[in-house]
Amino acid sequence: MVVDIRDVRRIYETGDIVFEALRGVSVQIMRGEMVALMGPSGSGKTTLMQIIGLLDRPSHGTYALGGRDVTTLTENERAEARNTDIGFVFQAFHLLPRLSLVENVEVPLTYAGVPPRERRERALHVLARVGLDSKARNLPSQISGGQKQRVAIARALAGSPRLLLADEPTGNLDTRTSEEVMAFFSELHREGTTVVLVTHEQDIGAYAERVVRVRDGVIESDTRQTPRVAAPLGVTG
């Protein structure tokens, strides 16, 4: 089991105002699953994503990541766990504009203390995996939006994380490019990568084998489905 969340509540307090974003949520995600976390704005899905990604802490309840209780880790321990156990892909790409593509992919490996030669080899390997090794020395400004997201996926994969967490990964992309990016996620899933997609788009959630719907801070439903078949990659760079 990769994610094991039990009876998690998240309470925010601002002055006299108390807001309970999550109200006793329990969810387990097994190794190799592809799960879509869905819900309308204000449902609590973003809060749940932040807790899964160790970007926020539960007010009550427990969270084990890969069998390790991460509920009470220090901030430094949480940062280390984020860097080694979780690969993040965000809607806005978050590439550093003055670094080349290969240097962007190397960033989490640098924080992990990987030696320069090894991190360059690993960065080039994952860029090749997403079809962009020929553009390794380009700057982010020299590639398309879809290619930027593929670089972000490569960066997330560079550290061989146990969990790939994608937050609205196609939000800035057109339909055709979104399908291309989802083909990558589907292929990674077939290869055994554990993928959690946070999305409000039904057509993106359709690629997952399991859909967890959140509403008003609770799990409204947790269902399995036949995932949408992604088109062949056919990426040429």
Side-chain angles (χ1 to χ4, degrees), residues 61-84:
T62 62
Y63 173 25
L65 176 62
R68 177 193 185 192
D69 186 355
V70 294
T71 310
T72 58
L73 295 183
T74 67
E75 288 304 320
N76 285 341
E77 289 170 335
R78 288 164 63 83
E80 181 180 354
R82 280 195 300 270
N83 196 47
T84 58

Side-chain angles (χ1 to χ4, degrees), residues 2 19 52-53 62 77-78 89-90 162 167 181 202 216 235:
V2 177
F19 173 67
I52 292 173
T62 62
E77 289 170 335
R78 288 164 63 83
V89 180
F90 295 104
R162 66 176 75 239
D167 184 17
V181 167
Q202 297 293 338
D216 297 329
V235 173

Side-chain angles (χ1 to χ4, degrees), residues 4-226:
D4 186 8
I5 286 178
R6 306 273 178 170
D7 197 27
V8 159
R9 298 170 62 199
R10 183 62 174 101
I11 301 169
Y12 298 99
E13 298 184 32
T14 305
D16 295 331
I17 300 174
V18 177
F19 173 67
E20 193 167 9
L22 295 177
R23 301 186 288 127
V25 167
S26 295
V27 64
Q28 290 75 46
I29 298 171
M30 306 304 292
R31 190 176 308 278
E33 280 194 299
M34 185 168 178
V35 179
L37 183 59
M38 303 188 69
S41 178
S43 64
K45 75 176 186 300
T46 298
T47 301
L48 181 55
M49 180 274 293
Q50 290 174 336
I51 288 175
I52 292 173
L54 298 178
L55 299 170
D56 196 2
R57 293 178 183 270
S59 304
H60 302 277
T62 62
Y63 173 25
L65 176 62
R68 177 193 185 192
D69 186 355
V70 294
T71 310
T72 58
L73 295 183
T74 67
E75 288 304 320
N76 285 341
E77 289 170 335
R78 288 164 63 83
E80 181 180 354
R82 280 195 300 270
N83 196 47
T84 58
D85 292 340
I86 305 172
F88 292 94
V89 180
F90 295 104
Q91 176 178 344
F93 317 134
H94 294 310
L95 301 182
L96 299 174
R98 296 186 179 182
L99 297 185
S100 67
L101 305 190
V102 69
E103 289 169 335
N104 266 281
V105 174
E106 286 180 338
V107 168
L109 300 177
T110 301
Y111 287 128
V114 177
R117 182 174 179 178
E118 180 184 348
R119 73 175 181 248
R120 179 56 53 96
E121 290 174 352
R122 287 168 65 173
L124 288 171
H125 174 75
V126 289
L127 277 174
R129 174 68 185 77
V130 300
L132 287 172
D133 49 323
S134 65
K135 298 183 182 295
R137 286 165 179 78
N138 284 32
L139 295 174
S141 60
Q142 297 172 310
I143 60 175
S144 68
Q147 289 171 330
K148 289 176 183 175
Q149 194 59 293
R150 282 154 54 191
V151 174
I153 294 171
R155 181 182 57 196
L157 294 174
S160 301
R162 66 176 75 239
L163 172 65
L164 187 60
L165 183 57
D167 184 17
E168 302 286 1
T170 61
N172 284 338
L173 305 175
D174 59 39
T175 300
R176 181 176 178 181
T177 307
S178 294
E179 291 173 352
E180 177 186 290
V181 167
M182 292 310 302
F184 276 109
F185 284 117
S186 295
E187 184 165 309
L188 290 169
H189 167 237
R190 288 193 296 271
E191 293 174 354
T193 301
T194 306
V195 180
V196 175
L197 298 168
V198 181
T199 182
H200 67 278
E201 299 180 66
Q202 297 293 338
D203 56 338
I204 299 302
Y207 285 95
E209 63 182 346
R210 179 180 165 201
V211 177
V212 176
R213 296 186 184 276
V214 184
R215 183 179 292 274
D216 297 329
V218 299
I219 302 296
E220 181 181 51
S221 63
D222 186 343
T223 58
R224 294 194 173 274
Q225 63 183 15
T226 300

